[in-house]
Amino acid sequence: MSDPSYRPENRLGGRGLCCGHSGRNDLAACFILCSENFRGVLAHKELTESRNPEKQSSASVIMEIKLATFSADSPPLAVIAAAKIAGISLPCHTSAAPDSAPAFLFSNGYCYFAVTFAFIAMLKLHGTYVLLRYVGRIASIPNFYGRNAYESSQIDEWLEYAPVLSLGSAFENVCKYVDDYLAGRTFLVAHYLSIADIAIWSGLAGTGQRWESLRQSKKYQNLVRWFNSILIEYNDALTEVTATYVGKRGVGKPVAAKSKEHSGAIQSAKTVNGEVSEKGKAGNRSSCEVDLPHAEIGKVRLRFAPEPSGYLHIGHSKAALLNQYFAQRYQGQVIVRFDDTNPTKESNEFVDNLLKDIETLGIKYETVTYTSDYFPQLMEMAEKLIRQGKAYVDDTPREEMQKERMNGIESKCRNNSVEENLKLWKEMIAGSERGLQCCLRGKLDMQDPNKSLRDPVYYRCNPTPHHRIGSKYKIYPTYDFACPFVDAIEGITHALRSSEYHDRNAQYYRIQEDMGVRKVHIYEFSRLNMVYTLLSKRKLLWFVQNGKVDGWDDARFPTVQGIVRRGLKIEALIQFILEQGASKNLNLMEWDKLWTINKKIIDPVCPRHTAVIEERRVLFSLTNGPEKPFVRIIPRHKKFEGAGEKATTYTGRIWIDYADAQSISVDEEVTLMDWGNAIVKGIEKDQDGNVTQLTGVLHLEGSVKTTKLKLTWLPETNELINLSLVEFDYLITKKKLEEGEDFLDVLNPHTKMEIAAVGDSNIRNLKRGEVLQLERKGYFICDAPYVRPSKPVVLYAIPDGRQQTCLK
């Protein structure tokens, strides 16, 4: 409506409609398509048949893009590309005037089925980003214009920013800004492709050779990685669009990345992408490594099925995020199912915290279910298998049973009659003394080389009350029995499992076959293993129960709550995991890589503060310093205005770190950060040679470029905040435990170090979970905010993958 000439009747480009209702039985209608850019009358037909007013209720409204008009000199590349990717038909006409805005012409018609009358009026939208938003709203691609109002607004911000790419002088500045922004991200908004990505991508591609030259260089690796991944994903559509409207060369082939990180990102994109056939099946992908077998677009249903016996850890996160990734890729669903079949280990605390962790990861699930919801059906299935001779009750002692399975020896109970098995089955259900001696086993193949097929246990007795259903049951199904059944009846199409379960895949399929249920496809991915890290919930529980950590959310733990508490951003974890893709290759990952990604996310935005180590801190007296303290308001982050401002006090006497004071010489000129230079004139030491005090003069006209030492400092005031800076180490001292090795033999006796410090007065405003940088000391996260002067603010050191903090 910003166009002053705009009026409702001008929706045909100023021509108006030349058809109307006269109120008589005879009616004339004109079918006119006209605009300021396309003026010809395409059709004009007079219809004279009578219209029955009672038939008006059968009208159906049609909204269809009839034409996209734009100048051949300035095609709306983003609009065309977005429509192409979304599969939206876009008839284009390039005869518009050079200065005119691109436009969509629509038909908004009323078709009366009982008569031959048709009335069609042409509506119009104009402006590149208006059209792009329209495509985003009608596209079938999930979240193309954001999942909610906030994400849509973020997309709008990028659309407002995109035109800057066409300003020649600002092009490289834009590239640098977007490159920095993408350092910790896969897409511009959230975790999926949106029209924001298409707008910036098209803006780059539309510059032709200028962008191609930068793309061939190593200058903007994050930007190139992002650009290439989108090109790989939608290669046919984007290549066609750029070849048509940018030039015959288009955007060329994806540039081979030089860095390992970049290479991994491109490979990840290659292995999950491909075209969709006319039947809706995903095929012809770039690599078979990550294809889901027999996947159909819109029909994939996945499940993330944790056992509620602990908190979610980084290994579980990989499974959760891959399930969501494939669900989004195939436009399917993911559900959360709690595999609550062992009441001895499980609790509602774990259920609640697992849901909290799943939310933290941003997993968008369809529903939450429990294996315990299906206990009645599972018991019916077990009895059915007993009656069919496919399962039997065994009272062999557990250790003896394990030896028999290992050696392929059949149990003495294997050939018991159906009647005897049903009798013992009822004893198990009742939880009687006799029943407690028994278990139910599947009758598979005791001679199979794959030992998982040697008559696995299906049911065990357990009198422990269940956290959801109390003491209703005395028997519980094993995971091996319950999972194939529940997967099938819940409509799961693909079960994602880590490769440690590989030998059990044949068992899974055999059990489904015996049950007579629908086959579920298994897809394997490699288990995520981290150096110096235990991921066994049983071992982690030992640390909790023995007071070696403060709880499941301890910052030394690999749980989601633990690593987030230590300062890891979920965006970093997502990028770290998705960069690995769904590879089946086993690997031991370094924490440094994850923390390096994290640093790239927090460094551009986290505020800067100052701290001085309490022990032996040194007073530096400036003889020409201010007689009275004064305050300046300065940015908390010099390159990010959004970090806000802080108040810095300047005084004639300041505190500096002892380590800095020890490295200074008399008459040396140093830089006091956020102030200026000073010259040290005197150094006082105690009898042991330790520096106790410095004197000097301000030399504010001095150049900061000529000084070797850049010192952080704090004013001598009573407003300084007491701090406790905390550094953590690994819980074990060995990178990887060998099979059979006891983790108790490699426990690290010193995993937590605390050091007292004082910080600037602005730190009193920090909130729990807020990330900051203590300048020259590293990154920290506030774990316990300011309460009172006697209680220190607790800051946890955040690893950055490289730098040693002040506590080392």
Side-chain angles (χ1 to χ4, degrees):
M1 291 291 189
S2 59
D3 184 350
S5 65
Y6 180 89
R7 292 190 303 276
E9 64 270 23
N10 285 352
R11 287 175 296 186
L12 286 180
R15 296 296 186 190
L17 297 178
C18 57
C19 55
H21 195 294
S22 65
R24 299 189 301 265
N25 286 336
D26 292 335
L27 183 69
C30 293
F31 181 17
I32 294 181
L33 177 60
C34 58
S35 72
E36 57 199 348
N37 303 322
F38 187 36
R39 304 181 184 281
V41 176
L42 299 183
H44 184 193
K45 184 178 181 181
E46 184 175 293
L47 302 173
T48 57
E49 294 187 20
S50 297
R51 176 168 62 95
N52 186 345
E54 296 178 357
K55 301 293 186 180
Q56 291 188 29
S57 61
S58 65
S60 64
V61 179
I62 301 172
M63 282 293 292
E64 179 184 356
I65 302 174
K66 284 294 184 183
L67 199 65
T69 66
F70 51 86
S71 167
D73 296 332
S74 54
L77 203 62
V79 178
I80 301 168
K84 195 75 176 176
I85 288 171
I88 296 171
S89 176
L90 205 64
C92 295
H93 200 285
T94 60
S95 63
D99 296 331
S100 61
F104 281 171
L105 298 182
F106 302 86
S107 66
N108 182 11
Y110 300 88
C111 301
Y112 297 92
F113 303 130
V115 294
T116 58
F117 171 76
F119 169 81
I120 300 178
M122 301 308 297
L123 306 178
K124 178 179 177 183
L125 289 175
H126 64 277
T128 297
Y129 297 108
V130 171
L131 307 188
L132 186 55
R133 288 182 180 93
Y134 181 81
V135 170
R137 289 186 176 102
I138 67 171
S140 59
I141 298 174
N143 310 313
F144 207 29
Y145 192 20
R147 182 182 54 196
N148 51 45
Y150 177 72
E151 289 182 3
S152 297
S153 298
Q154 286 183 301
I155 291 170
D156 287 339
E157 286 184 325
W158 281 106
L159 298 192
E160 289 183 11
Y161 185 72
V164 183
L165 282 165
S166 62
L167 304 176
S169 58
F171 182 75
E172 287 220 32
N173 289 336
V174 176
C175 289
K176 184 179 187 310
Y177 173 78
V178 182
D179 181 73
D180 291 342
Y181 180 85
L182 286 168
R185 296 173 171 87
T186 305
F187 298 107
L188 292 176
V189 175
H191 309 300
Y192 25 75
L193 182 80
S194 71
I195 56 173
D197 297 286
I198 303 302
I200 300 298
W201 193 98
S202 301
L204 293 170
T207 64
Q209 190 56 45
R210 184 171 190 181
W211 165 241
E212 281 302 301
S213 298
L214 284 176
R215 209 170 144 223
Q216 299 291 337
S217 71
K218 301 178 182 179
K219 196 168 184 180
Y220 303 115
Q221 292 192 5
N222 296 316
L223 187 59
V224 171
R225 178 253 307 162
W226 166 84
F227 185 93
N228 285 348
S229 67
I230 293 175
L231 178 58
I232 292 167
E233 172 72 11
Y234 303 101
N235 183 65
D236 289 350
L238 294 175
T239 300
E240 179 184 340
V241 171
T242 53
T244 303
Y245 296 103
V246 179
K248 290 185 178 180
R249 183 173 178 274
V251 291
K253 297 180 179 179
V255 182
K258 304 299 181 184
S259 71
K260 290 183 180 179
E261 182 178 327
H262 188 168
S263 179
I266 295 299
Q267 182 61 31
S268 176
K270 286 182 179 178
T271 57
V272 297
N273 302 319
E275 297 176 357
V276 179
S277 71
E278 68 279 1
K279 294 183 180 180
K281 293 187 177 181
N284 303 319
R285 297 205 169 207
S286 304
S287 167
C288 62
E289 187 178 39
V290 297
D291 273 347
L292 292 177
H294 311 290
E296 294 188 37
I297 299 298
K299 295 183 179 181
V300 169
R301 184 173 170 87
L302 309 171
R303 82 318 192 247
F304 175 54
E307 180 186 6
S309 58
Y311 286 36
L312 208 68
H313 61 55
I314 190 170
H316 301 132
S317 301
K318 179 174 183 179
L321 290 168
L322 285 177
N323 270 285
Q324 170 154 286
Y325 180 77
F326 281 125
Q328 291 177 345
R329 174 65 61 207
Y330 287 90
Q331 300 174 29
Q333 299 174 343
V334 61
I335 68 169
V336 172
R337 182 204 307 145
F338 287 106
D339 179 37
D340 55 344
T341 59
N342 188 349
T344 305
K345 297 181 178 180
E346 299 158 1
S347 73
N348 286 321
E349 175 200 351
F350 294 138
V351 170
D352 294 341
N353 280 282
L354 284 167
L355 287 172
K356 175 182 176 181
D357 297 337
I358 289 168
E359 182 179 353
T360 299
L361 289 174
I363 305 299
K364 302 303 177 187
Y365 51 87
E366 186 72 16
T367 187
V368 175
T369 66
Y370 298 81
T371 299
S372 56
D373 293 337
Y374 303 96
F375 279 177
Q377 296 98 308
L378 283 162
M379 290 177 67
E380 289 175 7
M381 177 57 71
E383 186 168 326
K384 174 184 174 183
L385 294 178
I386 293 172
R387 293 183 183 280
Q388 292 176 346
K390 295 178 181 179
Y392 63 96
V393 178
D394 193 354
D395 63 358
T396 304
R398 182 172 291 199
E399 289 186 7
E400 184 180 343
M401 185 187 299
Q402 290 174 345
K403 290 179 182 178
E404 288 179 351
R405 291 191 70 200
M406 184 64 64
N407 298 317
I409 300 171
E410 292 186 1
S411 166
K412 65 183 185 300
C413 303
R414 195 173 199 268
N415 295 313
N416 283 350
S417 67
V418 170
E419 290 73 22
E420 178 66 16
N421 285 324
L422 288 173
K423 178 182 175 182
L424 292 174
W425 172 245
K426 291 178 180 177
E427 294 285 347
M428 288 179 63
I429 292 173
S432 68
E433 184 177 350
R434 177 67 175 128
L436 292 173
Q437 298 171 351
C438 303
C439 69
L440 181 69
R441 297 175 66 182
K443 188 183 288 189
L444 303 187
D445 186 352
M446 285 298 293
Q447 306 306 315
D448 198 294
N450 183 342
K451 294 181 175 61
S452 74
L453 289 168
R454 295 181 181 180
D455 293 6
V457 174
Y458 285 174
Y459 262 91
R460 285 195 176 97
C461 288
N462 190 338
T464 306
H466 190 277
H467 65 94
R468 287 187 74 222
I469 51 182
S471 300
K472 182 176 181 180
Y473 297 100
K474 301 294 188 293
I475 59 171
Y476 292 93
T478 60
Y479 174 85
D480 290 339
F481 180 73
C483 187
F485 178 79
V486 180
D487 280 350
I489 64 175
E490 284 195 329
I492 303 304
T493 59
H494 299 79
L496 270 62
R497 311 208 312 182
S498 62
S499 53
E500 63 186 304
Y501 289 103
H502 176 75
D503 289 344
R504 282 189 154 98
N505 290 351
Q507 179 200 81
Y508 180 97
Y509 288 133
R510 171 63 188 274
I511 291 174
Q512 285 195 331
E513 182 182 332
D514 281 359
M515 289 177 171
V517 297
R518 179 183 54 82
K519 181 179 179 180
V520 176
H521 300 287
I522 292 175
Y523 183 80
E524 290 184 340
F525 60 90
S526 64
R527 175 188 171 102
L528 178 60
N529 297 303
M530 306 296 294
V531 295
Y532 300 108
T533 303
L534 300 171
L535 293 177
S536 161
K537 284 186 284 187
R538 177 182 61 83
K539 295 172 182 175
L540 295 176
L541 180 62
W542 180 89
F543 283 92
V544 175
Q545 292 177 336
N546 288 275
K548 300 295 183 182
V549 294
D550 298 330
W552 287 92
D553 65 345
D554 191 287
R556 290 163 287 189
F557 254 20
T559 56
V560 170
Q561 292 186 36
I563 56 180
V564 168
R565 187 177 178 187
R566 195 171 179 180
L568 187 77
K569 292 295 182 183
I570 289 301
E571 298 94 312
L573 178 60
I574 292 171
Q575 181 180 338
F576 175 72
I577 287 173
L578 293 185
E579 277 186 4
Q580 298 171 47
S583 168
K584 297 181 178 67
N585 300 323
L586 295 175
N587 45 29
L588 188 64
M589 302 299 294
E590 296 281 349
W591 282 98
D592 286 351
K593 182 177 181 182
L594 176 57
W595 290 116
T596 297
I597 295 172
N598 193 62
K599 177 192 172 183
K600 291 178 180 178
I601 294 174
I602 64 176
D603 179 73
V605 296
C606 73
R608 272 52 172 167
H609 289 274
T610 304
V612 171
I613 304 302
E614 179 68 53
E615 186 178 7
R616 293 184 176 181
R617 55 181 164 137
V618 174
L619 197 61
F620 187 0
S621 298
L622 300 166
T623 57
N624 64 339
E627 295 181 5
K628 293 182 179 181
F630 67 91
V631 176
R632 287 178 183 162
I633 304 301
I634 64 174
R636 293 174 81 197
H637 189 310
K638 293 182 175 65
K639 296 181 180 179
F640 178 58
E641 188 176 327
E645 297 176 324
K646 61 182 178 181
T648 300
T649 302
Y650 298 80
T651 58
R653 287 154 58 95
I654 61 176
W655 294 106
I656 66 171
D657 282 308
Y658 172 77
D660 286 337
Q662 284 286 91
S663 64
I664 296 174
S665 305
V666 174
D667 292 329
E668 181 176 0
E669 186 166 0
V670 298
T671 296
L672 304 176
M673 293 177 64
D674 291 328
W675 197 348
N677 286 3
I679 300 172
V680 178
K681 294 298 185 180
I683 301 176
E684 295 183 23
K685 298 183 180 181
D686 62 17
Q687 59 186 8
D688 296 322
N690 298 311
V691 176
T692 59
Q693 189 168 336
L694 300 177
T695 56
V697 295
L698 286 173
H699 185 231
L700 299 182
E701 62 273 23
S703 172
V704 298
K705 296 179 181 180
T706 61
T707 57
K708 182 176 69 173
L709 295 177
K710 311 293 191 284
L711 306 182
T712 45
W713 56 275
L714 288 171
E716 186 193 30
T717 71
N718 58 5
E719 294 182 356
L720 300 182
I721 305 299
N722 291 320
L723 307 177
S724 177
L725 307 183
V726 185
E727 174 82 59
F728 298 102
D729 203 354
Y730 299 115
L731 292 172
I732 58 175
T733 59
K734 192 170 183 181
K735 263 193 171 186
K736 180 184 178 183
L737 288 184
E738 302 302 328
E739 190 172 347
E741 191 170 5
D742 193 341
F743 75 95
L744 296 176
D745 296 332
V746 292
L747 291 181
N748 185 352
H750 305 293
T751 61
K752 184 176 181 179
M753 295 153 282
E754 298 180 61
I755 190 167
V758 290
D760 66 70
S761 61
N762 303 277
I763 290 177
R764 76 172 64 237
N765 299 319
L766 290 177
K767 296 179 177 61
R768 190 171 194 265
E770 188 170 349
V771 173
L772 67 150
Q773 184 187 64
L774 293 179
E775 294 194 283
R776 299 179 61 237
K777 288 179 171 59
Y779 302 94
F780 292 80
I781 183 169
C782 180
D783 192 68
Y786 180 81
V787 178
R788 56 182 178 271
S790 61
K791 191 176 174 90
V793 172
V794 179
L795 301 179
Y796 284 178
I798 304 174
D800 66 3
R802 174 185 58 84
Q803 173 180 313
Q804 300 294 318
T805 72
C806 63
L807 306 181
K808 291 289 187 182

